[in-house]
Amino acid sequence: MTLWFTEKQTSSFGITGKVNRTLESEKTTFQQLDMVETQEFGNMLLLDGMVMTSEKDEFVYHEMIAHVPLFTHPSPKHVLVVGGGDGGTIREVLKHMRVEKVTQVEIDGKVVEYSKKYLPHISSEYENQKVELIIGDGFEHIIKSENRYDVILVDSTEPVGPAAGLFTKGFYAGIAKALKEDGIFVAQTDNPWFKADLIKNAIHDTKEIFPIARLYTCNIPTYPSGMWTFTMGSKVYDPLDVPIDKIRDINGRYYTPELHYASFVLPKFVQNLCE
């Protein structure tokens, strides 16, 4: 018997892949967690039936959420990652030598546990001495923090279940307080084909809170529509003003100095969401 997995990205559209075997399937305190081995994309983490990451294409998301803000900020010493239990974002953050500490707040410890077991290349930096892992609520952590972080990265699931509060104006306002006076935040904000209203609200809310607000994109084949967006809010530094000679080669597979700027060039229909 051939086993196939389908993520229903809308009520009438989805993405399908052949599954060799199921590695884990557990209803955690917060969500349905499945780890499967796929034919095309290797081991894949699913939460509530949605693809979170896979061995084959994970580098795109993790490089883009981390390197764009960390090369924009001239001296990112203390970085907060909200969510991101697979560990890929902190792996990329730690490629920046100026970073002295990475605090990660992940609500579901099972995501970390199974990522260490089945996605070791992605979760490879959890034992790094610069990493502080907190199993807890990222929203609550933000509210309790003030003038603490240089960069905050919101590496969340889609706005359902425990992640719903991470897409609100109140959360972005809390982030602004938790950042230092020249801080930057980036949040993943889904795709413009199926979640246009989410993106429009996120960028508009960010504009009301931060002096600099920008949207940028990348291509991730296992995510809905393949076109993915990130919203950046910055108190001082504009990512388009960074001198290119300040962006070093991180030996990545997606992000490059040239792509740093090109990722902010938006198709017209996406530009319209930002107006």
Side-chain angles (χ1 to χ4, degrees), residues 14-271:
I15 182 173
T16 300
K18 185 178 180 182
V19 175
N20 295 331
R21 58 180 175 143
T22 299
L23 302 170
E24 299 284 351
S25 182
E26 180 177 340
K27 181 69 174 179
T28 75
T29 304
F30 301 98
Q31 55 207 337
Q32 176 62 40
L33 188 159
D34 295 284
M35 192 74 73
V36 297
E37 178 189 287
T38 69
Q39 182 74 32
E40 186 68 34
F41 285 88
N43 288 355
M44 180 181 287
L45 170 64
L46 312 171
L47 296 178
D48 289 331
M50 297 178 289
V51 178
M52 293 296 109
T53 196
S54 79
E55 290 181 304
K56 186 173 181 178
D57 69 352
E58 59 85 13
F59 64 91
V60 182
Y61 177 92
H62 294 131
E63 289 182 18
M64 291 302 286
I65 196 173
H67 298 309
V68 176
L70 288 171
F71 277 118
T72 298
H73 197 293
S75 185
K77 295 180 179 180
H78 194 179
V79 178
L80 171 67
V81 178
V82 177
D86 56 67
T89 297
I90 62 173
R91 180 197 66 198
E92 296 303 314
V93 168
L94 288 168
K95 292 179 180 179
H96 293 258
M97 297 299 103
R98 289 189 177 91
V99 173
E100 297 175 357
K101 182 177 181 180
V102 186
T103 299
Q104 181 179 36
V105 183
E106 165 60 53
I107 199 168
D108 195 340
K110 287 292 184 177
V111 176
V112 177
E113 176 185 337
Y114 289 136
S115 294
K116 287 181 177 180
K117 185 175 181 180
Y118 296 107
L119 302 169
H121 173 66
I122 302 175
S123 60
S124 58
E125 292 294 337
Y126 269 120
E127 305 308 316
N128 193 301
Q129 293 183 350
K130 292 183 178 182
V131 175
E132 175 190 23
L133 174 61
I134 299 171
I135 302 301
D137 190 314
F139 191 98
E140 292 183 2
H141 183 85
I142 288 288
I143 297 303
K144 295 177 181 177
S145 302
E146 186 171 349
N147 193 33
R148 184 174 178 182
Y149 297 104
D150 298 299
V151 175
I152 295 177
L153 306 176
V154 185
D155 182 359
S156 66
T157 62
E158 294 190 54
V160 294
L166 305 184
F167 291 82
T168 63
K169 187 176 181 180
F171 182 59
Y172 299 149
I175 286 176
K177 292 180 180 179
L179 287 168
K180 295 180 182 178
E181 61 184 12
D182 62 347
I184 296 173
F185 100 96
V186 166
Q188 74 83 8
T189 43
D190 221 292
N191 79 92
W193 291 102
F194 307 141
K195 296 292 181 66
D197 287 343
L198 184 153
I199 294 171
K200 188 172 183 177
N201 291 336
I203 191 67
H204 288 191
D205 288 346
T206 301
K207 284 181 177 180
E208 291 186 13
I209 298 167
F210 289 85
I212 299 168
R214 295 199 179 276
L215 191 78
Y216 63 98
T217 68
C218 65
N219 178 268
I220 306 172
T222 56
Y223 282 10
S225 84
M227 187 179 192
W228 211 247
T229 73
F230 299 91
T231 297
M232 175 186 288
S234 178
K235 294 184 177 182
V236 176
Y237 309 112
D238 191 328
L240 298 181
D241 290 339
V242 180
I244 195 167
D245 61 359
K246 298 294 184 182
I247 302 176
R248 63 179 175 83
D249 183 3
I250 47 89
N251 195 28
R253 298 173 62 194
Y254 192 89
Y255 178 86
T256 66
E258 294 78 14
L259 191 66
H260 177 96
Y261 310 99
S263 64
F264 291 94
V265 179
L266 305 175
K268 181 60 177 175
F269 83 103
V270 182
Q271 289 182 38

